[in-house]
């Protein structure tokens, strides 16, 4: 089995492009790396990349493969759901400001 490891030097250099090089940035990067490691993100990404590498035929859309591998639901309009959620939050806020005594709204 081939093992693919994330190249943290490349990740760090890309982070450096977006921030200045000082000691606090270095500490932030290390804290972020530890966070990713502790939360299992690094392991999950490594597993999905190994799975993609070991596929006999490369999927047409690698991003969709990664999403499926990590358990994302298919055929879901995430942006549409975000917009709907924001609209519902705004409506709820209006109802709460209007006294909160509207039917179906508990304050």
């Amino acid at each position: 089995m081939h093992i693919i490891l994330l190249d943290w030097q490349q990740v760090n250099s890309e982070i450096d492009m977006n921030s200045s090089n000082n000691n606090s940035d270095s500490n932030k990067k290390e804290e972020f790396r530890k966070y990713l490691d502790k939360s299992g993100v690094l392991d999950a990404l490594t597993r999905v990349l190994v799975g993609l590498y070991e596929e006999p035929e490369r999927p047409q859309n690698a991003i969709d493969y990664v999403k499926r591998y990590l358990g994302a639901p298919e055929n879901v309009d995430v942006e549409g759901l975000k917009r709907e959620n924001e609209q519902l939050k705004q409506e709820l806020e209006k109802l709460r400001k209007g006294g909160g005594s509207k039917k179906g709204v508990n304050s």
Side-chain angles (χ1 to χ4, degrees), residues 25-59:
D25 285 341
S26 178
N27 290 340
K28 285 180 186 178
K29 286 188 288 188
E30 183 60 23
E31 286 177 26
F32 185 66
R33 189 199 63 73
K34 287 179 183 177
Y35 162 74
L36 292 175
D37 190 28
K38 210 177 222 186
S39 64
V41 172
L42 296 180
D43 289 337
L45 288 175
T46 300
R47 281 192 308 271
V48 73
L49 293 174
V50 168
L52 182 59
Y53 177 79
E54 292 178 345
E55 279 291 316
E57 291 184 29
R58 299 286 184 244

Side-chain angles (χ1 to χ4, degrees), residues 11 59 68:
V11 171
R68 273 194 318 278

Side-chain angles (χ1 to χ4, degrees), residues 74-85:
E74 295 183 36
N75 301 323
V76 174
D77 179 11
V78 174
E79 293 304 316
L81 290 172
K82 287 180 181 179
R83 284 190 301 274
E84 181 182 7
N85 187 37

Side-chain angles (χ1 to χ4, degrees), residues 3-16:
I3 296 177
I4 299 172
L5 299 176
L6 295 176
D7 181 358
W8 278 105
Q9 289 177 337
Q10 182 179 354
V11 171
N12 286 336
S13 69
E14 293 198 20
I15 291 172
D16 284 340

